[in-house]
Amino acid sequence: MSFAPSPSPLAPLPLGTDAPPTCEVPHFAPVRVRGGRRQLRRLVRHRGRALALGLAVTAAALVAAGPRGDDGARGHPAPEPVREHRAVETVSAPVRIADGATVRLLRPGDRVDVIAAEESALGGDARVVARGARVTKVPEPLDGVTESGALIVLSVPRATAARLAGASATARLAVTLC
């Protein structure tokens, strides 16, 4: 009886015995790169396009590698934008309202219509001077000046402010809440 050493689970296996079985690779046609000469001939025929492409790439590389300005931007500094000085669209217009008690009902942010009431010998004629004007300020009335009305400050377009000033010189002004 011969005693052969039994393979130990920790002993390495002979080389090549642990590889998976081989499989066959299917046959395929060889890969050929085509058009190399034709592309070169086309490039030679269209030299102008190639030159323009080369110049564009060079210009882009020069801009990318160019010096930086103070703000970190590359290239020439941009000129300062020209600021337009346009007229203010809304202005604050102080308006004296004939009825001081009505003014006590108003708060900043309220919307009001301003009505001019002209008195004549034949009767009164009323017209709306400003529609939807926003009340920006309601100053506290001075002591004992309630019979001449009360002052409010309205935010209105410039043209409406001119109409309000004209109407307050010739008529009594009243407000209605919107």
Side-chain angles (χ1 to χ4, degrees), residues 28 64 90 95 169:
F28 59 91
T90 58
V95 177

Side-chain angles (χ1 to χ4, degrees), residues 77-106:
E80 290 294 322
V82 178
R83 295 178 66 186
E84 290 184 19
H85 296 288
R86 57 182 185 194
V88 178
E89 294 175 4
T90 58
V91 296
S92 295
V95 177
R96 183 157 302 278
I97 304 300
D99 186 10
T102 306
V103 173
R104 284 185 281 169
L105 299 173
L106 300 177

Side-chain angles (χ1 to χ4, degrees), residues 1 8 26 32 53 56 68 83 95 113 115 130 153 157 162-163:
M1 206 167 159
S8 164
R32 294 188 178 140
L53 179 64
R68 291 183 183 261
R83 295 178 66 186
V95 177
D113 289 345
I115 301 168
V153 180
R163 285 197 308 267

Side-chain angles (χ1 to χ4, degrees), residues 57-68 73-75:
V57 169
T58 304
L62 286 174
V63 168
R68 291 183 183 261
R74 295 189 184 270

